[in-house]
Each structure stands twice: as C-alpha cells, then as structure tokens.
Amino acid sequence: MTTGTPLTRANLAARTGRPADPAPVRIAHLGLGAFHRAHQAWYTDVSDAENAWGIRSFTGRSATAADELAPQDGLFTLIERSADGDRSQVIDSIVDAVDGARPGAIADTVASADVSVVTLTITEAGYAVDGDGRPDVTQDVVASDVSLLTTQFASARIDAEAVPRTALGRLLLGIEQRRRADAGALAIVPCDNLPGNGELTRDALYGLAALAGSAALEAHLRESVSFVTTSIDRITPKTTAEDIAEVAASTGWADHAPVVTEPFRDWVLSGDFAAGRPEWERAGARFVDDIDPFERRKLWLLNGAHSLLAYAGPLRGHATVADAIADPVLRDQVQEFWNEASAHLPEGLDVPAYREALLERFDNGRIQHHLAQIGQDGSTKLRVRIAPVLLAERAAGREAEAAVRTLAAWIAMGAAGRLPADRSAPAELASTGSEGDVVRLLAHIDPRLIEDPALVTSVAGAVADLRTR
C-alpha cells in the first residue's frame, strides 16, 4: 500500500502555493502513457507560466492510466534519474485523464472550440497503416472503423455512443463533429517514432475519410486542419512498484502513477498552428523549417541502436539497454551500425557528439530500460529504423553488416519463440529460420530487400550463425 499525502490539486496548493484551479483544456492528447507524461506534458508544464494550456489526455488500449491519474486530478511525479541521483517534480499540465473508449469522450473534446491542438503518442503500430501509409483495411479494427464511420458521416446526427476502435478513427470522428460545429482550425501533432509523422498522419486521415465516403470531411481536413511533423526523444522506461514506493519515501506524496525518465529531452517540430499553441520553446523545444535531418539522426542512431540491442541483446543473455551496451561485442555492433547510418546523414548535425551522448545515456544503469519493451511491434519499427540504412548502404556498394545482423537477430528471436508482441502482423512472424522464412519476413519489412539475392543470402547466413551459437 502506498503511504503519504494523497497527490491532489488541493493538497499540492496547500503545500506549495501552486494554483488549485486547473488550466483550461486547450490540448487533447491521445495515448496517455509514460512517454507522453515525460515529454509533451513536461514541456507544457514548464513552458506554461500563465496556466493557460491544460491537457485532457485519453488512454488507448487500456483504461489503467486514467484510473490511476483521475483520483490524483491528473497530477503525477516526474523523476529525472541520472547516474548522480534523482530529481523529482510534480507535473500539473494534465488536467483531466480519461478512458479513450468512453463514448463521446474524445469526439466531444476534439469538437470543442476551446481546443486548438491534438497531440498523439499511440505507438508506431497504432496508426494502423500499410507499407504505403494508407489505412490498412486488412486489419479487423480498421475495417470495423470504416464501416462505423461511413454510417456516422452519412447521418445527420452523430451517435453519442459510437466509439471507433482505432486512435485515428476516434480522432477523425471528433474532427467531423468539429466540422459540423464550425469550431475552427486545429493542429494535429503526432509524437511517435515514424519518419514524416505529420505527413503520415495527414495521409492516413485523408484516406480514412475517403474510405468512409465523406468528401465534405476530406475538404475540411485540407482547409482547416494542419499536421505538424515532429522528432521526439526521451528515454522513459515502465514504472515499477519500487519507483512508486521510492516516490512516497522521498517526497511524501502517495502517487500511484509516477514516471521515471532520463534528464535528456529533445523535441523538434515543423508545421503551422493556426489556432495557437503553448510556447514550448520556453522549455527548449525547437521549431524548424526542415525536420528531416533531425528525424533521420534520431530514428537511425538512437532508435536503430535500440532495435539492434532489443534483439541481439536477449540472444546474449541481456535484459536491459545498460546491460546490453556494457557487452563489448554489442557495443562494437552498435558503433558499426552507427558508422553505416552516419554515412547517410547530412553535415551540420554534430553526429560525433550525438553518438557520444547516446553512449552515456545507454550506459545509465539507473534507467532500467527493458529490451522486451523496446522490442515490441518490431516489424513496424525495423521498417523505419533499419531498412533505410541497409538499403542505402547496399546502394552504395557496401555489405551493411551491422544492419544485416539486426534483421538476423530479429528473425532468430522469432525462430526461438522469443519475440515480444507485434501488432503489425502477428500471424506472419512465425519462423523456423529457414531461407524461405527469411525471404517472407524481409518482404514484410520492406519488399525492396528481397530484390537483392545476395542480401537475402547474407541475412539467412547471419540467422544460421546466431542459431548455432
């Protein structure tokens, strides 16, 4: 049982003098998880000195986070954990934590004229798109949403009990209600590790509106909704029971939903906010015209190395990033992959300093970032983290050995029955490690990979080598 003073706005005001009244809801967020609280909620809290930008944050697949945060008025303790110690602060930017499956909850909020920004952390697989970035109607949840949305958009009145199953379906229903209410412009800000995430979200919503047969909504999306592309970075592992107990002991707050994260954070954004936004730059966010170089540096160097360790690490007996990067063999493999990726990054990004900082972050053993967590939904992640580097290296006439090893480790984990859950195509990921399975799995990552027979042979050989160790 957690002991201490209940973490509520009234108790926080009494102890610290902070305002007891929450900020008005002007941001809707889809994907109430630990990363959102360590990132967008932190940036909003630090930058909003006027208490003008409250967040209503909705859960995705599980209502647990809302159940934990609602009794705490959305408040939670953020612990920045470094090798030198911990620093904690209470974050109060989330003013309402809501079950995203509750009828009308997301749609009513998105339709409000007070709301001008919607942020997303729904994971890569949560966008439910195919390899071309279109709504993946082969997924039952997407097909179900298309049917529901078609009925709703054709009706003169939206059914208050209608709840699409996907995050983008729920968002699109809210945008349609907003259109009907003439509530004004809206900015959509996806914050997941996908290249061109703003454009991807835009195209997915356009496609979903088209499949649901609403030309009026398609036109509204083009005219009144902007899509902001982002690069986000802050390592945030899953909260443990020990973290909850430690917060109670060190702060005196009975906080059932603290978040542990690293001191490092980064947020780069590119796009328009026609109806206004928080001054996130006060907290260090950067607004740029060309985000592509920042995206590639982060996706390939940080996230690519994470994927490498997520599959190669368990094969060598490791469970966390810090354990895996301390293994000299894996540390060398990460450096080799970074050499391959860095060859395709533009100048001006200070890549050597970024790599050195990444090693320091990975070495932080006080952040227990579990490889099983990173390895989830691997096929979607490998498609954007590893395949582009591998294809670029092969086009340059090089072997891409480190990228090959990463895909081989993923396949070998599957053949051993040890892959974490993957929502992208679970039925397709079973593997015996045979060359036929290698071809099938590589095609699932990126069909261009199997157009290179020598590459297929190289991956198959690496899989065989891993399985004989």
Side-chain angles (χ1 to χ4, degrees):
M1 180 176 178
T2 303
T3 59
T5 303
L7 183 55
T8 65
R9 291 187 182 274
N11 288 341
L12 183 66
R15 181 188 288 191
T16 68
R18 292 171 73 164
D21 294 330
V25 174
R26 299 179 67 188
I27 302 171
H29 180 81
L30 276 60
L32 173 52
F35 178 79
H36 160 59
R37 286 182 274 159
H39 201 264
Q40 299 87 34
W42 179 88
Y43 274 95
T44 303
D45 178 86
V46 171
S47 64
D48 187 23
E50 293 77 21
N51 201 38
W53 288 90
I55 304 170
R56 178 169 291 146
S57 193
F58 298 92
T59 60
R61 290 174 289 167
S62 167
T64 300
D67 293 341
E68 293 171 341
L69 282 172
Q72 299 181 181
D73 300 328
L75 300 173
F76 63 95
T77 308
L78 185 73
I79 305 100
E80 291 185 356
R81 181 158 290 167
S82 70
D84 298 326
D86 291 351
R87 175 181 176 271
S88 65
Q89 64 185 115
V90 174
I91 304 297
D92 70 355
S93 55
I94 296 176
V95 301
D96 204 4
V98 182
D99 177 2
R102 195 179 79 190
I106 292 175
D108 289 346
T109 300
V110 173
S112 169
D114 294 331
V115 170
S116 60
V117 177
V118 177
T119 55
L120 310 172
T121 52
I122 57 177
T123 75
E124 294 91 335
Y127 291 81
V129 295
D130 61 21
D132 295 319
R134 297 172 299 207
D136 187 358
V137 293
T138 67
Q139 296 187 36
D140 290 343
V141 290
V142 177
S144 171
D145 277 4
V146 170
S147 177
L148 181 150
L149 293 171
T150 299
T151 300
Q152 294 302 311
F153 295 165
S155 173
R157 184 182 180 87
I158 299 293
D159 182 357
E161 296 299 309
V163 182
R165 295 169 65 185
T166 67
L168 293 190
R170 294 173 182 178
L171 174 57
L172 191 64
L173 187 63
I175 295 173
E176 170 62 6
Q177 284 195 196
R178 188 181 184 90
R179 182 189 73 83
R180 295 185 185 197
D182 195 22
L186 184 70
I188 308 296
V189 188
C191 301
D192 288 290
N193 289 314
L194 291 163
N197 53 24
E199 293 85 352
L200 181 143
T201 305
R202 176 198 65 197
D203 293 347
L205 287 174
Y206 285 1
L208 203 53
L211 288 169
S214 179
L217 181 53
E218 284 189 77
H220 177 78
L221 287 168
R222 297 179 191 279
E223 295 166 3
S224 300
V225 180
S226 61
F227 295 88
V228 179
T229 297
T230 68
S231 173
I232 47 92
D233 192 356
R234 196 169 205 187
I235 294 171
T236 307
K238 186 176 181 179
T239 301
T240 67
E242 290 76 15
D243 296 327
I244 294 172
E246 187 171 329
V247 166
S250 62
T251 70
W253 291 120
D255 183 350
H256 297 275
V259 175
V260 175
T261 190
E262 62 174 341
F264 181 91
R265 63 260 175 181
D266 190 44
W267 198 8
V268 186
L269 305 93
S270 180
D272 298 323
F273 293 81
R277 61 168 177 80
E279 293 184 63
W280 287 315
E281 56 267 50
R282 288 182 178 178
R286 290 173 288 169
F287 291 83
V288 301
D289 294 327
D290 182 11
I291 200 171
D292 180 66
F294 298 97
E295 281 186 317
R296 284 187 285 153
R297 183 182 69 173
K298 194 261 180 175
L299 276 171
W300 295 352
L301 300 187
L302 185 146
N303 299 123
H306 269 172
S307 287
L308 185 160
L309 296 173
Y311 307 118
L315 292 173
R316 292 181 61 82
H318 305 301
T320 69
V321 169
D323 290 342
I325 200 65
D327 182 329
V329 171
L330 295 180
R331 198 178 191 93
D332 286 346
Q333 289 182 11
V334 165
Q335 293 281 17
E336 289 168 14
F337 177 73
W338 283 348
N339 291 339
E340 293 172 2
S342 298
H344 307 284
L345 291 172
E347 296 182 359
L349 293 175
D350 200 2
V351 169
Y354 187 79
R355 289 172 56 164
E356 184 177 349
L358 283 179
L359 283 178
E360 292 179 5
R361 296 166 66 190
F362 290 179
D363 280 331
N364 183 1
R366 300 192 68 241
I367 292 288
Q368 293 293 298
H369 202 184
H370 288 272
L371 300 175
Q373 176 188 357
I374 296 168
Q376 292 177 357
D377 297 324
S379 58
T380 302
K381 294 174 179 177
L382 292 169
R383 187 173 297 135
V384 297
R385 300 177 178 188
I386 305 299
V389 174
L390 196 159
L391 290 166
E393 281 290 276
R394 298 291 290 189
R398 294 187 286 269
E399 295 297 319
E401 292 180 1
V404 163
R405 277 195 221 103
T406 303
L407 293 184
W410 173 67
I411 295 171
M413 284 278 285
R418 298 174 62 187
L419 273 182
D422 191 319
R423 287 174 289 161
S424 174
E428 296 180 22
L429 298 182
S431 171
T432 63
S434 68
E435 185 157 342
D437 281 346
V438 169
V439 171
R440 178 173 54 83
L441 293 170
L442 290 181
H444 177 66
I445 297 296
D446 192 316
R448 293 173 293 177
L449 296 173
I450 63 172
E451 295 172 3
D452 183 345
L455 172 59
V456 173
T457 300
S458 180
V459 174
V463 171
D465 181 55
L466 285 169
R467 296 193 68 198
T468 56
R469 289 182 183 177

